[in-house]
């Protein structure tokens, strides 16, 4: 095995400016795979319970996986790990682009930031050279300006930059870290953690060659992967229409939340989907992350009208739903504009749309609050665009929204928590979980809050032959490819948790193994074995995925999480969709409780508390974690 494929762990103390590196060894790989997995271990080891997420004791970890930098398709992803300022719990945010590849080519698997700098700084990784530089002249600049200035300053347009915009500097609770105009580590507020450390950006230029341990076996496995990729029925559509191409289908199924989840159908959905980006002439080109043949990203421009001159990545499915139909907005140009501003300011589009539509519903219900001079009627696209700015700069009512839904609803009062679509402090992503029980369970147990980016159980809809085969392989029968069933949801969720974690630990995009299915545990085991020269089989890798999921759970347990936290937003547990009256389309507390019982039992977690047992932790080689939890009375 070539050591440079594994890379080093770089520790940077922002208080002292000192940096040191340690090898990411094969033993660490055998224990945690890498990427998200070893980051979870570092977070557990380095962040004490009760740490302020925006204080110097929090860490911020960027990581690439052991397959990042190789020719494996879609292997250029980067995970960002820290304690979340939105939830106070575990946070992993994953981002594409080219940053992860250059991180590996410069010799690193992980970069771990500790402490806070007194003045704004950026980190410059130029292969071996590690330098913290003054970033005072960049503070206040948006993402595009920052990236352009850094490339000019460092004299290389090809360097990769991860940075924050004004939202991160202003500690907006859902601020993102951007690695390009298309790519955001957005969920849970990692940009605010970066802002609290006064770390404006990381620039990286890597030129090292990476080798694999068994080139012939690796090459053969790559050929097999490409063959599977070419025949995957989901790949062509993903390339042609992008993620927003699925809006029309989900809308017909009443699974496209609109008007702040009051209904699952949007009357004007045909105006805002991926097809409309093409027909309206907005789509200028398709864009891919490092090493990705799928190219699901879009680059769009508006050539005329009110928003003339606007350009943006995306907008992705979640963005269109959050800033569009969720707010009753059917003007696709306004959605592109709002998305463009989110990317420039460094904001999570899902959370931004969620807080805006919550405010619109406060207005709909006649609550008493300062409107800040805005007309908050559903569908007012100008108000949506204006609120994006006010959130980023914390102006007027934007300051309330910048706190995130949980805190904003607490401050607003007047029962507004009932339509604050959040749990654990994270705004829910745009999935109608009242009609999809696998998603409902997955969102409830997600350690970072209710979204699809820790576990994506899209196979439960059975919309493709590959999806139905996945459900059959998990449950024994295709009949469970039915999102309205409670039965077998625990099995379906746990399998998807394992493979999702495994995919991200390797540094790959989850669209390869959930949604599209050309990557499976067997193929991943062959690729990793050939790459590092250590034999892994599928079962061993999936068990490691489960170990990471369990460790992430334990971080939350140590922070005080219990079964009570594994829930969904109030509306999604207690109200029917108004466009599906009388249908079995509600996740009652009773149904959720039944699914949770089965899920905890399957994991070997205690049903009363949701805490992992000693037996479970020891079987996963996490005895020291069990010891720590026992010492603070959190082992059942
Ligand atoms: S499928 Fe899309 S998100 Fe995934 S690596 Fe490719 S371009 Fe990036």
């Amino acid at each position: 095995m070539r050591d440079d494929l594994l890379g080093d762990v770089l520790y940077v103390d922002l208080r002292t400016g000192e940096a040191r590196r340690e090898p990411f060894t094969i033993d660490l790989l055998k224990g945690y795979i890498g990427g998200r997995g070893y980051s979870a271990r570092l977070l557990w080891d380095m962040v004490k319970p009760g740490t302020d997420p925006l204080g110097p004791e929090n860490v911020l970890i960027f990581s690439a996986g052991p397959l990042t930098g190789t020719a494996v398709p879609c292997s250029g992803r980067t995970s960002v790990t820290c304690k979340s300022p939105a939830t106070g719990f575990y946070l992993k945010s994953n981002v594409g682009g080219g940053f992860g590849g250059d991180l590996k080519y410069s010799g690193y698997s992980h970069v771990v930031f500790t402490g806070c700098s007194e003045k704004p700084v950026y980190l410059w990784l130029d292969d071996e050279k590690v330098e913290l530089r003054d970033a005072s002249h960049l503070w206040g600049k948006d993402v595009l300006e920052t990236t352009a200035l850094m490339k000019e300053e460092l004299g290389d347009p090809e360097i990769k930059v991860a940075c924050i915009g004004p939202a991160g500097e202003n500690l907006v609770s859902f601020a993102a870290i951007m690695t390009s105009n298309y790519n955001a580590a957005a969920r849970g507020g990692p940009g605010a953690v970066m802002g609290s450390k006064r770390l404006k950006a990381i620039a990286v230029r890597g030129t090292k060659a990476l080798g694999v341990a068994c080139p012939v076996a690796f090459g053969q496995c790559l050929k097999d992967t490409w063959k599977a990729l070419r025949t995957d029925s989901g790949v062509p559509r993903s390339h042609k229409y992008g993620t927003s191409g699925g809006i029309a289908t989900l809308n017909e199924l009443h699974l496209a939340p609109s008007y702040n989840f009051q209904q699952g159908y949007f009357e004007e959905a045909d105006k805002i989907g991926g097809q409309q980006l093409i027909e309206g002439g907005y789509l200028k080109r398709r864009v891919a992350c490092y090493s990705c043949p799928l190219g699901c990203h879009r680059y769009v421009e508006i050539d005329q009208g009110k928003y003339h001159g606007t350009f943006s990545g995306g907008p992705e499915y979640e963005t269109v739903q959050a800033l569009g139909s969720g707010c009753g907005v059917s003007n696709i140009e306004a959605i592109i504009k709002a998305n463009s501003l989110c990317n420039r300011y460094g904001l999570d589009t899902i959370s931004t749309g969620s807080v805006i539509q919550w405010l619109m519903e406060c207005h709909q219900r006649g609550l008493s609050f300062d409107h800040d001079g805005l007309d908050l009627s559903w569908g007012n696209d100008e108000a949506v665009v204006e609120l994006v700015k006010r959130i980023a700069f914390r102006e007027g009512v934007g300051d309330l929204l910048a706190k995130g839904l949980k805190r904003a609803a607490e401050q607003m009062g007047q029962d507004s928590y009932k339509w604050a679509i959040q749990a654990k402090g994270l705004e829910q992503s745009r999935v109608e979980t009242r009609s999809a029980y696998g998603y409902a369970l997955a969102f409830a147990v997600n350690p970072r809050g209710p979204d699809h980016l820790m576990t994506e159980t899209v196979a439960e809809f059975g919309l493709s032959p590959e999806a139905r085969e996945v459900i059959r392989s998990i449950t024994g029968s295709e009949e469970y490819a039915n999102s309205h069933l409670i039965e077998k949801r625990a099995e379906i969720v746990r399998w998807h948790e394992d493979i999702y974690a495994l995919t991200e630990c390797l540094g790959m995009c989850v669209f390869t193994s959930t949604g599209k299915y050309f990557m499976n545990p067997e193929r991943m085991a062959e690729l990793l074995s050939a790459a590092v020269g250590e034999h892994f089989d599928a079962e061993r890798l999936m068990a490691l995925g489960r170990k990471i999921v369990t460790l992430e759970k334990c971080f939350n347990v140590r922070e005080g999480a219990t079964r009570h936290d594994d829930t969904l937003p109030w509306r999604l547990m207690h109200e029917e969709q108004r466009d599906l009256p009388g249908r079995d389309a509600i996740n009652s507390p009773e149904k959720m409780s039944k699914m949770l019982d089965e899920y905890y039992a399957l994991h070997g977690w205690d049903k009363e508390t949701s805490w992992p047992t000693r037996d479970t932790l020891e079987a996963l080689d996490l005895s020291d974690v069990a010891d720590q939890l026992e010492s603070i009375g959190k082992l059942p």
Side-chain angles (χ1 to χ4, degrees):
M1 181 199 54
R2 295 271 298 270
D3 285 338
D4 48 14
L5 184 61
L6 299 190
D8 286 347
V9 182
L10 177 69
Y11 295 86
V12 180
D13 185 335
L14 290 165
R15 188 181 64 82
T16 63
E18 290 168 1
R20 67 184 167 85
R21 56 198 294 172
E22 292 176 5
F24 182 74
T25 63
I26 190 71
D27 283 340
L28 290 175
L29 184 143
K30 287 195 267 186
Y32 300 94
I33 307 175
R36 166 182 159 183
Y38 189 53
S39 295
R41 180 72 221 195
L42 288 167
L43 189 75
W44 171 268
D45 288 339
M46 296 177 74
V47 175
K48 293 191 179 77
T51 291
D52 176 3
L54 298 180
E57 307 302 328
N58 199 3
V59 298
L60 184 67
I61 308 168
F62 291 75
S63 62
L67 294 183
T68 303
T70 71
V72 172
C74 315
S75 60
R77 304 289 300 191
T78 306
S79 284
V80 181
T81 304
C82 58
K83 182 175 177 180
S84 166
T87 68
F89 288 138
Y90 165 84
L91 177 64
K92 174 276 314 177
S93 233
N94 191 273
V95 60
F99 186 83
D102 264 47
L103 198 61
K104 286 294 289 291
Y105 296 139
S106 66
Y108 300 106
S109 63
H110 295 70
V111 181
V112 184
F113 292 98
T114 57
C116 291
S117 172
E118 280 184 11
K119 61 178 186 183
V121 290
Y122 73 84
L123 181 71
W124 171 217
L125 296 177
D126 189 6
D127 280 335
E128 296 291 318
K129 200 169 86 184
V130 179
E131 197 181 342
L132 267 180
R133 290 187 169 194
D134 180 56
S136 303
H137 58 302
L138 300 172
W139 206 250
K141 303 289 186 207
D142 73 27
V143 167
L144 292 184
E145 292 166 339
T146 301
T147 305
L149 282 168
M150 290 183 69
K151 289 186 174 190
E152 192 182 326
E153 183 170 315
L154 297 169
D156 185 349
E158 297 303 318
I159 62 165
K160 305 298 183 297
V161 175
C163 69
I164 56 170
E169 296 174 12
N170 294 327
L171 308 183
V172 174
S173 82
F174 42 89
I177 299 169
M178 304 293 298
T179 61
S180 78
N181 196 19
Y182 315 92
N183 300 101
R187 305 253 63 205
V193 175
M194 196 154 158
S196 75
K197 295 186 176 303
R198 293 184 197 82
L199 178 64
K200 178 67 177 174
I202 309 167
V204 58
R205 174 167 57 194
T207 60
K208 290 183 181 182
L210 300 180
V212 297
C214 312
V216 175
F218 192 73
Q220 183 57 48
C221 196
L222 275 182
K223 273 189 199 161
D224 296 343
T225 304
W226 273 94
K227 199 170 159 193
L229 187 155
R230 284 194 200 95
T231 55
D232 189 310
S233 69
V235 167
R237 186 177 176 81
S238 180
H239 177 71
K240 185 168 183 188
Y241 295 118
T243 53
S244 64
I247 285 176
T249 306
L250 289 171
N251 199 50
E252 286 306 313
L253 294 166
H254 289 245
L255 287 168
S258 55
Y259 306 101
N260 197 30
F261 280 82
Q262 292 184 79
Q263 59 188 51
Y265 183 82
F266 187 51
E267 307 80 7
E268 299 180 284
D270 59 343
K271 294 182 179 172
I272 59 174
Q275 294 83 347
Q276 181 57 24
L277 291 177
I278 298 172
E279 288 161 16
Y282 305 107
L283 179 66
K284 303 303 179 189
R285 62 177 181 269
R286 294 173 175 82
V287 183
C289 301
Y290 164 86
S291 171
C292 176
L294 271 67
C296 78
H297 292 318
R298 329 275 85 187
Y299 171 76
V300 297
E301 287 178 1
I302 300 174
D303 298 328
Q304 56 192 0
K306 187 163 57 169
Y307 299 114
H308 174 241
T310 300
F311 60 92
S312 168
E316 304 292 341
Y317 167 85
E318 292 283 337
T319 303
V320 172
Q321 293 280 18
L323 295 166
S325 53
C327 300
V329 170
S330 60
N331 178 351
I332 196 168
E333 295 184 359
I335 297 169
I336 292 170
K337 178 68 182 180
N339 180 49
S340 165
L341 291 178
C342 284
N343 289 347
R344 292 187 79 128
Y345 298 148
L347 283 167
D348 175 1
T349 57
I350 299 174
S351 292
T352 302
S354 298
V355 295
I356 292 173
Q357 55 199 259
W358 167 81
L359 197 70
M360 286 178 149
E361 189 165 344
C362 290
H363 169 66
Q364 172 198 319
R365 291 173 180 273
L367 266 59
S368 165
F369 65 98
D370 185 354
H371 285 206
D372 231 5
L374 296 171
D375 173 6
L376 295 172
S377 304
W378 294 112
N380 183 357
D381 58 83
E382 291 184 0
V384 172
V385 170
E386 180 59 29
L387 278 168
V388 172
K389 294 181 201 161
R390 295 192 192 182
I391 290 167
F393 294 97
R394 306 194 77 131
E395 293 169 354
V397 74
D399 183 56
L400 172 73
L401 301 183
K403 296 174 182 176
L405 262 183
K406 184 166 185 278
R407 295 182 190 107
E410 284 166 3
Q411 192 170 321
M412 178 73 78
Q414 306 173 77
D415 273 354
S416 63
Y417 71 89
K418 291 184 176 176
W419 58 92
I421 311 300
Q422 65 79 29
K424 292 190 177 85
L426 186 80
E427 295 75 21
Q428 173 158 325
S429 54
R430 318 302 302 175
V431 179
E432 184 39 87
T433 44
R434 286 171 292 197
S435 300
Y437 288 131
Y439 270 100
L441 176 60
F443 280 29
V445 299
N446 185 331
R448 78 175 189 183
D451 79 357
H452 61 297
L453 295 166
M454 292 289 283
T455 315
E456 176 90 79
T457 55
V458 66
E460 72 171 325
F461 295 121
L463 295 175
S464 70
E466 293 92 342
R468 291 189 289 277
E469 173 55 25
V470 164
I471 296 298
R472 191 202 59 72
S473 70
I474 300 168
T475 66
S477 170
E478 281 190 17
E479 72 179 272
Y480 294 110
N482 179 344
S483 67
H484 283 274
L485 293 178
I486 282 186
E487 291 75 23
K488 303 289 183 189
R489 294 312 104 171
E491 285 91 334
I492 291 169
V493 168
R494 194 182 72 158
W495 186 89
H496 281 87
E497 284 177 339
D498 294 349
I499 196 161
Y500 207 105
L502 169 57
T503 307
E504 290 194 326
C505 289
L506 291 171
M508 288 163 37
C509 175
V510 292
F511 283 158
T512 63
S513 58
T514 54
K516 270 64 72 183
Y517 300 97
F518 59 89
M519 278 292 175
N520 54 34
E522 289 74 20
R523 201 181 304 288
M524 291 185 207
E526 284 176 29
L527 283 166
L528 183 63
S529 302
V532 302
E534 162 80 21
H535 178 69
F536 290 90
D537 60 28
E539 198 179 339
R540 181 178 173 194
L541 278 190
M542 288 292 269
L544 282 169
R546 191 168 310 150
K547 174 180 177 179
I548 303 312
V549 170
T550 306
L551 182 56
E552 292 161 350
K553 168 75 177 176
C554 288
F555 183 87
N556 283 4
V557 170
R558 196 172 61 175
E559 293 288 343
T562 67
R563 177 177 174 131
H564 177 75
D565 294 288
D566 287 347
T567 188
L568 293 173
W570 191 92
R571 164 165 286 162
L572 305 182
M573 294 288 281
H574 297 91
E575 282 183 9
E576 290 185 330
Q577 283 175 242
R578 68 184 179 195
D579 53 334
L580 286 178
R583 283 260 303 266
D584 182 22
I586 185 166
N587 247 305
S588 66
E590 294 73 27
K591 286 178 182 171
M592 179 58 76
S593 185
K594 185 172 183 320
M595 290 195 291
L596 286 174
D597 281 350
E598 292 173 6
Y599 171 85
Y600 296 143
L602 203 59
H603 260 295
W605 300 353
D606 174 62
K607 284 187 191 175
E608 293 292 313
T609 58
S610 84
W611 299 346
T613 64
R614 175 170 284 283
D615 285 351
T616 297
L617 293 173
E618 288 187 348
L620 293 170
D621 195 21
L622 291 171
S623 303
D624 65 316
V625 173
D627 293 342
Q628 271 202 48
L629 290 175
E630 186 168 34
S631 72
I632 56 172
K634 293 189 183 294
L635 197 68

